[in-house]
Amino acid sequence: MNKNFLFSALIIGSGLFWQSCGSKEGSKQQQAAAQGQQAVPVSTTIAEKQIVSGIKNYPASVVPLQETQISAEVSGYITKINVSDGATVSKGQVLYEIDRIRYQAAVDQAKANLEIAKSTLQRVEKDLTRYQTLADKDAIAKQTLDYAVTDVNNQKAQVQAAQAALTTAETNLQRAVIRAPFSGVVGISQVRLGALVSQGSTILNTVSSIDPIAVEFQINEREIAEFTAYQSGKSATEITVSLPEGTPYAQPGKIALIDRAVNSTTGTITVRAAFNNAQNTLRAGMNLTMNVQSTSTNEQTIIPFKAVQDQLGVYNVFVVNDSSQAEIRPVKLGLKVGDNVVVESGVEAGDKIIVDGIMNVRAGVKVAENVPAAANTPQK
């Protein structure tokens, strides 16, 4: 009987032991589940509507208001180069000279041919006068008079042809001296003294105007009305540029023109601003940053810029819903104002935006809000 009692006690004890182990394991699983449902601590702010003022930045490039390639208009050898590379030139200043001997000879020959034609015209006109007198007395045949009239008309045409040949010769002689078409700066000469140049095919140099100078940039088609107001003076703004190294250019500019058409592929349009450039600081082809002071006329939604996540050019923010859960929303950004940024779509005023603790947040998780991080007031 003692053996049966001991056997029963052993079975009961084993059952209690396994039950105890199972209870502990279940407790651990419940604790782990409870821990998995714990809210993630975050800091939030409220999206607000404000009238904002800030600076819009655009990639820009320097474009001369006037620029042209200097080509040889007559053929020949370069006999003089009158300017150094990169020199400042005035309109009409002599740049190059081409050998003029044959062109001067052509002028002299054309002048001689013109004098011969004029002399011959005088002779046939005198003949016509004599024939006319004789014809009035029926002393010559009518045909002789007709021939005389024809000779005069033909010789007048010869005079005109000789005059045209002289004009052509004089023009070629003038074109052997190449002058600056406008004031500006020349580049590096493409030919040297003694080089043979061909009419219409040899590029000698390039000349660009420098003061004033243009800076062109692209704006979105939705901004056309805004920039049209800047151009007309109906809205005030400040136009500046930053040089490639980031330093500001001292002279402010103004909107000079807006292109005639929008690029249907990109939805952008070219805007040109003009700047004084007496020191030639802004050079053709230079890449700049255009800075345009912009003030909104209507209230716009703003949030702290650090709340925005950039994922390969797609911007998102986390918003806390009524169930204290995080929602991810794609947003379209506008003007950056100090530490804040304008949100054009994706967020409404009054939405709770997660600012700090974003790295621990995933869509759908519960969050515990700490003391809200107040948005900074936009800089004016």
Side-chain angles (χ1 to χ4, degrees), residues 74-80 97-104 172-173 176-177 195 197:
V74 294
S75 300
Y77 291 95
I78 298 293
T79 57
K80 282 187 180 180
E97 293 184 30
I98 297 173
D99 184 15
R100 290 182 285 175
I101 294 177
R102 63 171 172 165
Y103 296 110
Q104 183 63 59
N172 288 336
L173 179 61
V177 178
V197 297

Side-chain angles (χ1 to χ4, degrees), residues 187-230:
I188 298 175
S189 180
Q190 302 301 300
V191 296
R192 292 293 179 257
L193 195 65
L196 177 63
V197 297
S198 301
Q199 177 183 0
S201 61
T202 304
I203 304 299
L204 308 181
N205 211 321
T206 300
V207 60
S208 305
S209 62
I210 60 171
D211 188 27
I213 201 162
V215 178
E216 293 185 351
F217 58 102
Q218 306 288 323
I219 64 170
N220 191 280
E221 57 190 346
R222 293 190 300 272
E223 299 175 290
I224 292 177
E226 176 185 347
F227 279 82
T228 300
Y230 295 153

